[in-house]
Amino acid sequence: VFQKLKNLKKLSLNNNNLENLNKMALLNLTKLKRLTLDSNKINNIDENAFQQTNNIEYLSIRNNKIKYLGDKIFKNLRNLKNLYLENNNIELVKPKWFDNFKNTSKNFAINICSKNKEINSLKKCKCSNKDFEYFIADIENLYNKKVLN
């Protein structure tokens, strides 16, 4: 859909009832720096969906229906600084998501949980052997609590 928009830097697809993000959806968007996919019905993101979007610095996929993300989902997002996944039903936080950031000196912020229901759905958080700080914010019991890698 966006293949001819090679110079696109910001893309907001909020509130579009999207259910899937396949590997072709963001093809050729090599200059994209900001992507927001908030408030859709996304329950599946192809592990190669971000394959050609390695310049993204800001990625927000809030308010969707995501339970699972593949091990290498963020592998090509070498410039990512902000990742927002709140208000999904993510059950497992995987350290492989962040392999590109283990040797980085840049600041990296991630928000996965914002409501009690998400904390309850989160079954496991493996965040060892990483060199950045990992933040989970929950309104009642995890707000501003640091989980060090």
Side-chain angles (χ1 to χ4, degrees):
V1 175
F2 306 104
Q3 294 171 353
K4 293 184 180 182
L5 302 173
K6 294 180 182 181
N7 292 318
L8 191 66
K9 292 184 181 178
K10 293 180 183 179
L11 179 59
S12 176
L13 294 172
N14 300 337
N15 300 302
N16 279 291
N17 292 318
L18 300 174
E19 294 180 7
N20 297 296
L21 190 65
N22 67 38
K23 65 182 180 180
M24 303 299 286
L26 304 171
L27 196 63
N28 295 328
L29 295 181
T30 57
K31 295 185 180 179
L32 193 65
K33 291 190 178 279
R34 183 178 180 98
L35 177 61
T36 58
L37 299 163
D38 299 341
S39 301
N40 283 290
K41 297 176 182 176
I42 298 172
N43 58 37
N44 182 47
I45 300 178
D46 187 285
E47 196 162 58
N48 294 310
F50 304 113
Q51 187 171 359
Q52 293 190 7
T53 57
N54 58 332
N55 284 314
I56 289 180
E57 296 175 357
Y58 179 98
L59 177 60
S60 181
I61 315 173
R62 296 175 172 124
N63 305 314
N64 282 285
K65 299 182 179 201
I66 300 167
K67 284 187 178 182
Y68 170 82
L69 291 169
D71 286 347
K72 298 176 182 178
I73 189 76
F74 305 119
K75 72 177 179 181
N76 292 316
L77 300 180
R78 294 177 190 93
N79 294 310
L80 191 64
K81 295 177 184 173
N82 296 285
L83 174 62
Y84 300 96
L85 295 168
E86 304 100 297
N87 294 330
N88 283 288
N89 295 312
I90 295 174
E91 296 180 355
L92 174 64
V93 176
K94 298 181 178 184
K96 289 189 180 237
W97 291 353
F98 312 109
D99 280 349
N100 287 338
F101 308 105
K102 62 185 174 184
N103 295 318
T104 186
S105 60
K106 66 184 170 199
N107 291 329
F108 182 82
I110 179 172
N111 223 344
I112 292 179
C113 304
S114 67
K115 293 184 179 178
N116 281 337
K117 69 175 187 145
E118 291 154 18
I119 296 303
N120 292 334
S121 72
L122 189 64
K123 293 184 169 98
K124 200 175 240 184
C125 179
K126 295 182 178 180
C127 301
S128 60
N129 299 322
K130 301 290 171 239
D131 296 325
F132 59 89
E133 291 184 357
Y134 180 87
F135 296 91
I136 296 178
D138 175 74
I139 293 171
E140 289 185 17
N141 60 358
L142 290 177
Y143 186 74
N144 288 331
K145 183 177 182 179
K146 290 182 182 180
V147 178
L148 298 178
N149 301 319

